[in-house]
Amino acid sequence: AIVKLGFEHILEGIDHVLFLIALLLPSVVRRENGRWKPVGKFSTSLGYIVKIATTFTIAHSITLGLATLQIVDLPPRLVESIIAASIGLAAVDIFYPIFKRRIWLVIFLFGLFHGFGFASVLGDLGVTSQHALLSLFAFNVGVEIGQLAIIAVVFPLLYLIRSQLFYSKVVLKAGGLLLGAMSLYWLIERIFDVNIRVLPMVQGLFV
């Protein structure tokens, strides 16, 4: 049941999914003289994806454990705000290389905060230190299965269309803009603790 919960959380936790997608979008291209060029070998992109998944997994596993065992505790509002910001910064990197060679350090640092976000789910279940280790392991397995499922679906598709002109012109740019907009939306809501309710407002324009 805990494994299933972890699997469902990563799939339903849209902010975690969008951060992963923001990292996946540029995985099949390389920046050359300020322009995106398709990666030649599948192994090159796959190696990049493996590094992303491994770095993110190590980072969130550390803080998931620390938070679940009540060793480290951060305000949920701070954690959720930084998670929202992580999506926006990953989107900015698509347009302008702000991470450059620090990409793995950035993924690790943001992964730490995503781990605190995962821990809140176990906290809501009332997991205690008496059975925390087993629950922690099972939940983390579920999260990793969900993460791998997303990569297995998204990555091959991106690789197949990477050479098309519309990928760098449309998919990357439109994806980056959408991710940036969602990040800003969540960031405002979480920092100021407000409910903007954009979707109901948009629907109201057509009623």
Side-chain angles (χ1 to χ4, degrees):
I2 300 294
V3 173
K4 182 182 178 183
L5 180 66
F7 178 78
E8 291 175 345
H9 178 68
I10 190 67
L11 296 184
E12 295 174 357
I14 188 65
D15 47 2
H16 301 297
V17 172
L18 291 186
F19 178 66
L20 189 57
I21 290 177
L23 298 176
L24 287 174
L25 282 175
S27 68
V28 295
V29 289
R30 69 182 187 279
R31 192 179 268 110
E32 190 175 289
N33 297 323
R35 301 181 65 180
W36 288 108
K37 302 290 184 180
V39 170
K41 296 181 180 180
F42 180 81
S43 58
T44 301
S45 290
L46 183 61
Y48 180 80
I49 292 301
V50 170
K51 289 180 181 179
I52 285 177
T54 302
T55 303
F56 188 60
T57 296
I58 292 173
H60 75 63
S61 295
I62 291 172
T63 46
L64 175 58
L66 291 175
T68 302
L69 297 175
Q70 300 179 347
I71 297 174
V72 179
D73 184 29
L74 292 181
R77 198 159 143 193
L78 172 64
V79 170
E80 294 302 319
S81 296
I82 293 178
I83 289 175
S86 71
I87 301 169
L89 290 175
V92 170
D93 190 64
I94 293 175
F95 295 97
Y96 183 78
I98 58 175
F99 294 159
K100 298 181 180 179
R101 295 183 180 181
R102 299 185 298 271
I103 181 65
W104 309 116
L105 176 61
V106 172
I107 293 174
F108 183 82
L109 290 176
F110 282 134
L112 293 175
F113 286 95
H114 281 259
F116 283 117
F118 294 145
S120 65
V121 178
L122 286 179
D124 292 340
L125 289 177
V127 173
T128 64
S129 57
Q130 295 178 347
H131 55 280
L133 290 178
L134 181 59
S135 298
L136 177 61
F137 176 76
F139 184 81
N140 210 32
V141 167
V143 167
E144 297 318 311
I145 293 174
Q147 181 175 288
L148 291 175
I150 294 169
I151 293 174
V153 171
V154 176
F155 174 62
L157 176 61
L158 297 183
Y159 185 81
L160 286 174
I161 64 175
R162 77 196 189 288
S163 298
Q164 302 299 319
L165 182 61
F166 71 84
Y167 187 79
S168 60
K169 298 291 185 180
V170 179
V171 177
L172 268 179
K173 291 182 178 179
L177 287 173
L178 180 59
L179 289 166
M182 290 300 298
S183 169
L184 182 60
Y185 170 70
W186 280 324
L187 198 55
I188 292 173
E189 281 201 329
R190 294 171 183 182
I191 288 178
F192 298 104
D193 194 22
V194 296
N195 188 347
I196 301 176
R197 298 178 61 83
V198 169
L199 291 180
M201 288 171 60
V202 173
Q203 292 173 352
L205 295 176
F206 299 94
V207 176

